[in-house]
Amino acid sequence: MIQGNRSPDVLEKLRLLRSELGHRPLDSKSRVWYSSLLLGLTRSLEDTRAAAFHARVAAELAPVTFPVVELAALVLARTGDRQEAAALVRQAFEFDPTAAADLLLKLESDLGETVTGQALAEDPRAWVAWGRALFDAGRPEESQAVLVEAAAHWRDDLELLVILSRRAASSADWDALDRWTNHVDPIPVEGHGVELLAYRALLHAERMEPARAEADLGSVLSVAGMAPHVLVIVGDVQDRLGSIETARKSWNRALFRIPPERSFERIEVLVRLAKLEESDGRASVALRHWRAVIELDPTHAAARARIRALTGGS
């Protein structure tokens, strides 16, 4: 770890690592831990330089071993070698984008805005991972800006377009959904293209263009073994087109395929089913769905309100 103290235990650990490196100079993990401990104990510029030196060597010995690269980048960032730290993060984006994005979040304050930007590899997967990391960190506007900029660079990257379409649909920003679903034409009926087609069908259904919605929906439904999140969108399209029975089937199929531990996704589908059953006059079935929501989230306000309404307050 980067921070340490000069307790006997820590000093002994440092001695043991130094001895280990004497016997095994190519052991990158021991070297990077030695570098980290040395930095935590530093009392001089010489110690700081030594820590940076060992961090560089460790990263050179194991350039695609993320724990080594991560600790080396942390050491270099804290020794003031920001460009080198950014280069290691950029390198990590090429083999583990998600982990690299989390590392970049840790290093932001040390690297500064300009150097942080240099740490992003010229690859859409790196930008997608960074956008997700920012979103998960509670910075949705910055996340959106990163993804929009990425889409300008890689106009036909389907994963980027799906993420942007998903966000547009969730906020009912239909103009934005129009923009993202029309970046690629024709949309391939494979991979991420299937979900993008589903979102375009949703846009057509929302804009009262049933023929165009049905055409895109037909392409989506031609794909076997659809992922549950795509089935949810299919149900949304069918619901907007007034096909209640097919929407019900799609959402039930999605619910069956979503693993129990993904409770948030299950709740989203259960709420759709509950509302559909209420609108279709099947109160008892709706009640069952609302109660299933409460089992997953006892604080769900809408579910509690509907249960009270359907049971007369019980």
Side-chain angles (χ1 to χ4, degrees), residues 17 26-34 58 65 67-68 71:
L17 285 171
L26 300 182
D27 185 343
S28 60
K29 291 184 180 179
S30 294
R31 188 174 291 277
V32 80
W33 274 103
Y34 178 74
T65 302
V68 173
L71 196 47

Side-chain angles (χ1 to χ4, degrees), residues 82-87 104 110-120:
R82 298 188 304 159
Q83 297 289 346
E84 291 179 84
L104 188 53
D110 291 304
L111 297 183
E113 184 177 348
T114 301
V115 181
T116 293
Q118 296 170 4
L120 273 176

Side-chain angles (χ1 to χ4, degrees), residues 52 60 63 80 83 111-112 128 156 185-186 188 193-194 216 224-225 236 262 274-275 304 314:
E60 289 171 2
Q83 297 289 346
L111 297 183
V128 165
D156 59 352
D185 189 24
V194 177
D216 280 343
D236 290 345
R262 286 156 60 177
K275 290 179 177 179
R304 286 188 169 279
S314 62

